[in-house]
Amino acid sequence: MEKKEQKRHQHKHSGPKAQKKNRKKEQGTEQEQDERKRNPRAFSVQSAVRMAKTFHRAQDIKTKKHHIPLVDRTPLEPPPVVVVVMGPPKVGKSTLIRCLIKNYTRQKLSDICGPVTIVSGKKRRLTLIECNNDINSMIDLAKVADLVLMLIDASFGFEMETFEFLNICQVHGFPRVMGVLTHLDTFKNNKTLSKTKKRLKHRFWTEVYQGAKLFYLSGMVYGEYQTQEVKNLGRFISVMKFRPLVWRTSHPYVVADRMQDLTDPEAIRLNPKCDRTVSLYGYLRGTFLKNKCQVHIPGVGDFSVSDVSFLPDPCPLPEVIKKRALNVKERLLYAPLAGVGGLVYDKDAVYIDMPSGHASRQQEEVRPTTELVQSLIGTQATLDAKMAASKVSLFTGTAALTPEEVQENEKQNPMESREWDENAQRERRRAVFADEDEKDDDEEEESDEAEEEEEEEEDEDEEGLTTLKKVDEKADETAAPPVKKQKIKEPMEMPAFADSDDELEKSEGEESEEEEEGSALIYIKQINLWAIMNLLYVCLSVAEEEEEDSNDEEELGGLFKVSRPERSKKVRADAMDCSRFQPDSSHDWDQEEVRCTSIRDCFVTGKWEEDKDAATLLKENDELYGDFEDLQTGEVHKGDGGDDDDEEEEAPQVKLDDDEVQKNKRLEKKRRLKERFDAQYDDGDATYFDDLKEEMQKQAELNRQEFEDVDDEVRVQYEGFRPGMYVRVEIPALPCEFVTNFDPHYPIVLGGLGPSEGNVGYLQMRLKKHRWHSRILKTRDPLILSLGWRRFQTIPLYYIEDHNGRHRLLKYTPEHMHCGATIWGPITPQGTGFLAVQTVGGIKANFRIAATGVVLDLDKSVTIVKKLKLIGYPYKIFKNTCFIQGMFNTVLEVAKFEGASIRTVSGIKGQIKKALRTPLGAFRATFEDRLLMSDIVFLRSWYPVLVPQLYNPVTSLLMPVGQKDTWAGMRTLGHLKHDLGIRNKPNQDSLYKPVVRQVRHFNTLHIPKELQKALPFKNKPKQMQAKGKTPRDLQRPAVVREPHEKKVAALLDALSSVYAYKNKKAKAEQHAKHKEFLKQKEKQDAERQKRLKEERKKTYRAMGQKEKKKLKSSLKGASKDN
Amino acid sequence: MEFEGCSCFRQRLVLSTLSRKREKILNIRSKDDNPGLRDFEASFVRLLDKVTNGTRIEINQTGTVLFYQPGLLYGGSVEHECNVQRSIGYYLEALLMLAPFGKTLLRAVLKGVTNDPTDPSVDLLKVTAIPLMKKFGIDGAGLEIKVLKRGMTPAGGGEVLFTCPVRRSMKPVQLTEPGKIKRIRGTAISLQMANRIVDSARSILNKFIPDIYIYTDHMKGASSGKSAGFGLTLVAETVNGTFLGAEVMSTPQGQGDPVLPEDFGRNCAKLLLEEVYRVSITKHTFVSGVDRYVIEFLRHIRDFFQIMFKIEQQKPGEDEQKGGEKVLMTCVGAGYSNISKTIK
């Protein structure tokens, strides 16, 4: 859209405005600056309350911005950023990934399966993962995503998946979320388009945060998004910053981008369902990963890692950052699951794929190699067979890749060739254990570099032939620790941890031979270190049996002398467990000489270091602050300078003739001055928060520096594998379904577990039913929880905490309130969030996330109780005492409840006193009132509830391909009944019946005769008998009027009615008149009142004036007096 | 995890409790005339059971095999009758490591022997371990070791109160400089001979530093325990706030050679000097020096937490007289945090 040219603002050159401006200009800028002075009223404090309010508000906003400072543990070379592309199906996820890859690497990737790692910039790599429409994948990816691209079909609007995913993210630590609107080209009308955009944007903002970035991908060009828009999106991704999330910074994790089955093929042949040994590859993220730690693979289960090793980065960042942009060769792409990646060598096999970094390369050309690698990945053959196969296909599949070219490639890429070298060595190393001939070859090769490549080929050919024979050796090889294999190449690695002593010595010898002069110094230092480490961690146990070594040890680490009274190992195993150290070589402290020479300086009375010596410090201070003038007295103090004799006598001064020393000293002085200044001027508003932050910064710096100069092989032993490394994790005993049903579209995450997170126990958590979930949750219904790395099914019990701290069981979760839940599940640190879904299989229309919450407490015992009412019936009632039976069965039970308070349904309280002998379980109880036989007595008590110990990890990754989203665990009771068609048989009494109202019959009231007599007649029951028929003779005859009499009666009637009418009329008239009169009277009254009031006013005023005058005159008189 | 023999029995159990890894200890004194766990070890296991919740302990018939599945560290009020074969220090050392990671504040009353010649006494732990724990960020009003009653070796009868607050995590520490010793304090435990012991100890230490003060213990009558004995605990404080301790205790009556109180005091002072000579710069200064026990401890830490220490030797300066060679040990923490503590 072109913008319309707008008319520019025209400055006025004449008129009052221009004059005003000119005047201002003449007067200068001073006045403008000093607005506070010019208009003080505008800036004065109008209201203290408002001022306080504004101050409070400002402070609130300031404090709200604070986050708990975290120690910065980001490695120098961070792992690729995990970008998860998420959205409902058919929204354009794959297209977007493809476009992004094309944007960054200029390559086309047709099939996106598994993570794709690309170099996106000089300092950033991205791992793009597509999230399929399965809640399992959504949960797993939300836990590892750094950035989520949330695709929304604008033509349709939001779908439930989007909201579900947002909620999942919220629970597991919110990654950065960027919305992307697609299908915008379906809108024909511009107005509806902009309206929809706005509506979606605001809805998105309420979900994420106000102002969250929402991208618009307007339309497709040849099946791709517009280049410019993708480029913009890419830029946003490249500059995005991430906040560390607590769970992730405290747990290592790997998003596996490669999987290799290492199982012995013979074992598979014998038993196709045998457990598999699998190595998984990926960038390590989060924190340091220790070798032999426990990991959880969501969707599979818990496993302990047998071996971790780091490999050279397959997708490294550019080594030197000089140029402005990346060149073509640096734009790498690595996606082994999708069949793309450079030539990769590692311990197990060789992997070949399309050479990266050819922008002009066509899709068709890529295809064959991709197939090749696919076939490599697909095969379940032995490693050696795989190796051979790769070789063969290398020559047959691509004509371009001849062996010479391979070698050329190696020359071009020195790192790779080194890799190759290492690989070859490894193979030869294997021969060392297997047969002697190859060992010889090995040594020859080491001497002769030129022949090496040919030899390699030979080796490999041999392997191709003798695949079966070597399988066993291979297995042995992989089982042994990796450290051993790389011994020759790596002089710095720890021989100390080798199995036996002689091997150790040998490797040390090799080290000394192979070491170059450049690192000779470090080497010597290290060997000394190794000696100590050996002594500490390995040798001691071995060495103790061999006495000769002890001398050596003493030389190496002077401190470590071992006092051992017994020789035999057996006895040592049962040695006394005592931490007190008995020094064996005591100095003779009585001698003055010993005393002086050895520990003199350990005391404050001894000699101090130069920089800490009191005298020196004093002197320096003098130099800094020596010259000052005492203003009060006017006295001028001169600094002592350097010529203070007595101080020099006390402390041996070092001659400062050396320039270097001088310079250092000056720098030191400067630093100290600066510190002083900072302390004086900055500490004023330094808060606790700032201090904490600074402390953490220092610690982070220290952590970084401590192991910086140590070689990687060794460093890994100290601190574990650093995040950012490309690691190979070997896991034994994986279920075979993991390999046979492997689907690269589903993410494999290796989540490292903390020291105790592999155990199972009771977890108490705070839980709230999600308000969008349509039904409340029932206690004891199985629920699938996503907690920590895991997804598992468990049976929660819901409870609520009473005022007295009792945890009372609830049958259902409250509708809109938090409640407690206790589950039997994996131990997870408190404060970890979780979410619950009822099923992971299938897609229901409504919102799937049933509840969210947080872990509060871990325990090995449960404290939930439910109410238990024991019911009894009185069988004998005295005054306030009664005997109650039916509540208990034995005397012992009663004895346990003696003194307990009981209550009747009608509300009479009582207490259990003592058990009765017969009937069994009956007891005596007293009440505050007399009971009736019809009363029911009950005892309210609390009964502890046991939490069912169900912990069932969701093994969705083990399901067959295509059915991975159909995992169904334990069903709920309702589900089960529904499936089996079982109807609940209700209690007959509980059923509703038609309401039939019975007619009530009341008995007649019986009044005693005596009472009747005493009653007044009015209240006496009237014994009226029904009148019988009057006999004919007693009946009065009817009167028949004469005609005259009739006339008289009629006249009288007429007269009386006329009279009545007249009367009525007169009365009405009278009434009206009286009303008038009253009105009149009221009026007169009001007037009179008014008049009276006025008169009164007048008199009062007069009185007042008089009084005033009097007062005035008296005052006057007084003033006169004065 | 499997171990053999009962050496480092406490370390293994404590680390297992902290790391929540189950363990099995085999062949406990299996070749011994009196095989199996001793009474004091059984007492220790019982104490662990008291401060934890849900611990599973299985001991076979002869007591030569112990299976230990740790539960959750609980803390709370605990009263324990410690076996008199070992002093309370034996039990307290383990509790010191466990207590900060419990669910609630630990308040343990331990009854038994407060001082004996084999184990570090309660007094020594009080003066060395508590300041160290404070450095790790475990401080506050709750942290203290208090000797309520004293009890000597054979019969015991002492009583110690140990309280410790719980913390979610510990602070990283850098103890890279031992610093110079600025003062020496001590406690002499004896009714009659306290002055003689103190004088003799001072006679040696005075040549190094004048700031020495040795208290005499005030426990009398019933609170002084069931059996007689005497001892001296010395502690040297450096300017950096590290503490070096040494102590000597008399052997129980009728055992060993009788010692003169003067020799006794002198011996203790010499021990302290030896300690100063050896002091190494480790995180565990209260078990100062790299001896067999520490080495075992480091190995066990590696086994349980996969933590290895980087060890560097520090060469002393040419004209400095600072005792023996020192070692700087560095490690990266395991990221351990207290998962028993409840959050509300």
Side-chain angles (χ1 to χ4, degrees), chain A residues 104 469 785 1066 1073:
Chain A
Y104 283 123
K469 202 185 91 188
L785 256 61
K1073 251 184 197 166

Side-chain angles (χ1 to χ4, degrees), chain A residues 834-928:
Chain A
F834 72 89
L835 71 96
V837 286
Q838 282 192 318
T839 52
V840 286
I843 298 159
K844 282 194 290 178
N846 48 12
F847 197 68
R848 276 181 286 184
I849 293 165
T852 54
V854 69
V855 178
L856 292 183
D857 198 3
L858 315 163
D859 218 329
K860 290 277 180 185
S861 47
V862 204
T863 51
I864 303 177
V865 288
K866 69 176 176 187
K867 199 196 285 175
L868 177 70
K869 277 187 181 174
L870 304 174
I871 300 170
Y873 306 94
Y875 69 91
K876 193 156 193 192
I877 296 169
F878 303 99
K879 238 184 186 171
N880 282 348
T881 306
C882 62
F883 293 169
I884 289 162
Q885 63 177 1
M887 195 179 282
F888 302 108
N889 292 320
T890 59
V891 179
L892 191 75
E893 283 176 15
V894 181
K896 249 195 150 181
F897 281 91
E898 260 175 27
S901 64
I902 47 180
R903 202 164 68 90
T904 66
V905 177
S906 51
I908 303 168
K909 287 174 200 154
Q911 201 182 25
I912 296 178
K913 287 292 177 192
K914 199 154 195 218
L916 298 170
R917 213 160 291 153
T918 48
L920 267 174
F923 58 88
R924 173 166 58 87
T926 56
F927 289 87
E928 57 187 13

Side-chain angles (χ1 to χ4, degrees), chain A residues 722-841:
Chain A
R722 271 197 308 291
M725 277 179 163
Y726 191 75
V727 290
R728 168 189 180 277
V729 181
E730 198 175 309
I731 298 170
L734 269 169
C736 67
E737 288 86 356
F738 178 75
V739 178
T740 53
N741 298 338
F742 183 73
D743 183 0
H745 290 96
Y746 277 77
I748 302 163
V749 177
L750 272 82
L753 300 174
S756 53
E757 285 165 30
N759 298 352
V760 193
Y762 291 110
L763 271 75
Q764 270 147 44
M765 27 185 52
R766 194 193 298 129
L767 172 137
K768 194 183 178 200
K769 193 212 77 159
H770 200 285
R771 48 191 199 140
W772 293 351
H773 193 253
S774 48
R775 324 186 71 171
I776 53 175
L777 307 173
K778 192 179 177 194
T779 281
R780 273 180 212 283
D781 263 359
L783 204 61
I784 294 167
L785 256 61
S786 158
L787 172 66
W789 295 123
R790 298 166 215 261
R791 288 178 273 128
F792 59 93
Q793 193 174 40
T794 186
I795 296 180
L797 290 191
Y798 305 116
Y799 66 85
I800 203 156
E801 192 172 312
D802 286 344
H803 294 297
N804 53 4
R806 180 198 299 131
H807 291 160
R808 183 160 50 82
L809 184 77
L810 292 176
K811 281 187 177 170
Y812 293 91
T813 56
E815 190 113 35
H816 301 298
M817 217 169 66
H818 285 286
C819 69
T822 297
I823 61 157
W824 172 258
I827 298 284
T828 317
Q830 308 94 325
T832 314
F834 72 89
L835 71 96
V837 286
Q838 282 192 318
T839 52
V840 286

Side-chain angles (χ1 to χ4, degrees), chain A residues 10-23:
Chain A
Q10 303 235 311
H11 292 286
K12 294 266 179 202
H13 295 295
S14 61
K17 267 202 175 168
Q19 279 174 6
K20 203 175 167 188
K21 245 182 196 170
N22 280 339
R23 234 182 295 137

